[in-house]
Amino acid sequence: MAVYADLAQWTRRPEALARTSLPRTVLLGDPAAFTVAAVHNPHMADAEGHPQRINSAAARAEWLALAAAYRALGLAVEVLPADPSLPDLCFTANPSLALPLPQGWEIWLAHMTHASRRPEADLHAEWYATRGLTLRRMPDSVARFEGGGDGI
């Protein structure tokens, strides 16, 4: 892998790349079942190390504002229904990474670190498959891939 200290050293120029399509749809997860059931990172814990408490009304208001912002940009908003067994389902960036490629969108499914989140990738796979998009999985040698969070 090459590392460039100066962008001018990079020979591939953006204008030489093939054009890709912009997204027309965004996938959101309904936050109705959102809670911090387990602490997976420092942001999920309070000062004593216990799971953060969730203000469900505020979470819903923020989610509605996000959906409205996407719609105001002209995007269609589709929603995965809440599932009490998947409290983190509202974080849709992690279970997959959608890449706009010249030949069409390609979806890379996550291999989530935490077993409690792994079923989310299957829900994403079902959603994308019904839309005819190309699905990809990381090779078995990749122990962890958190979708958009790692891909971006």
Side-chain angles (χ1 to χ4, degrees), residues 74-134:
L75 296 168
V77 174
E78 295 200 30
V79 181
L80 290 173
D83 181 336
S85 71
L86 299 171
D88 294 322
L89 186 61
C90 60
F91 298 109
T92 55
N94 302 112
S96 61
L97 170 65
L99 296 174
L101 300 175
Q103 66 272 21
W105 287 82
E106 189 170 281
I107 310 305
W108 284 84
L109 299 170
H111 179 76
M112 305 294 280
T113 301
H114 300 284
S116 62
R117 293 206 64 196
R118 290 185 188 146
E120 296 174 37
D122 295 331
L123 291 175
H124 279 228
E126 291 172 21
W127 189 85
Y128 286 115
T130 63
R131 284 143 183 88
L133 297 171
T134 301

Side-chain angles (χ1 to χ4, degrees), residues 12-99:
R12 261 182 101 181
R13 305 311 311 159
E15 57 273 7
L17 300 174
R19 295 186 72 74
T20 60
S21 62
L22 294 173
R24 295 182 307 253
T25 303
V26 64
L27 176 63
L28 296 180
D30 186 320
F34 173 55
T35 187
V36 180
V39 174
H40 297 313
N41 65 55
H43 306 289
M44 298 174 81
D46 63 17
E48 290 79 39
H50 301 106
Q52 290 275 9
R53 291 190 181 177
I54 301 302
N55 179 332
S56 296
R60 171 64 66 184
E62 290 173 0
W63 185 89
L64 289 170
L66 177 64
Y70 282 132
R71 288 184 184 108
L73 291 170
L75 296 168
V77 174
E78 295 200 30
V79 181
L80 290 173
D83 181 336
S85 71
L86 299 171
D88 294 322
L89 186 61
C90 60
F91 298 109
T92 55
N94 302 112
S96 61
L97 170 65
L99 296 174

